[in-house]
Amino acid sequence: VDDPGGATMHGITLATYTAWRAAHGYAAPSKAALREITDEEVEAIYYRQYWQAAGCEMLEWPLSLAQFDAAVNTGVGQANKFLEATHNFDGYMAARIDWYTRLKTWPTFSAGWMRRCADLLKEAAG
């Protein structure tokens, strides 16, 4: 309800899903259809719209994972800004956390964003 991206499922907004379906010759989906998005569609959208679009395949692990996750969560443009600031994982995560704290939606979404960042930090630590 409070998400400025609107209806979202698995980090995919209705607008992104609508564009993806249009590009593949399908009718525009409803919010109900977004809730029913298939795993295959999610994987295809993640790969094309986020992994490839954010240049994740060009990055070393775990920076590639952080870039992908940020692309899904904040958009490719913002993820690229984090990457422009630094090309190391620790600096990237610091920039990302700092950015979240400055958003007006911080009071509503902070716990989820910080769990997301914590999960990335755990994954990077092995």
Side-chain angles (χ1 to χ4, degrees):
V1 163
D2 294 325
D3 191 334
T8 304
M9 190 67 170
H10 303 292
I12 298 169
T13 64
L14 183 58
T16 296
Y17 190 39
T18 299
W20 184 84
R21 286 184 55 90
H24 291 84
Y26 300 118
S30 63
K31 287 182 183 180
L34 176 62
R35 285 190 296 275
E36 303 287 325
I37 192 171
T38 67
D39 290 343
E40 293 79 16
E41 289 173 311
V42 170
E43 288 176 21
I45 292 168
Y46 277 176
Y47 183 69
R48 183 84 172 130
Q49 301 294 120
Y50 300 108
W51 183 264
Q52 285 186 324
C56 299
E57 71 279 355
M58 308 287 278
L59 303 171
E60 296 290 325
W61 186 266
L63 185 57
S64 58
L65 178 63
Q67 176 73 352
F68 168 72
D69 185 69
V72 172
N73 186 238
T74 70
V76 172
Q78 183 59 52
N80 286 338
K81 289 178 184 176
F82 298 142
L83 193 58
E84 288 169 9
T86 181
H87 279 274
N88 75 56
F89 177 77
D90 292 338
Y92 188 100
M93 292 304 296
R96 184 173 172 179
I97 291 167
D98 180 63
W99 180 80
Y100 283 132
T101 67
R102 298 171 191 279
L103 296 176
K104 67 180 180 181
T105 52
W106 172 257
T108 303
F109 297 107
S110 58
W113 291 332
M114 291 305 99
R115 279 192 300 272
R116 211 178 169 116
C117 289
D119 287 346
L120 287 167
L121 292 164
K122 287 178 205 171
E123 181 68 27

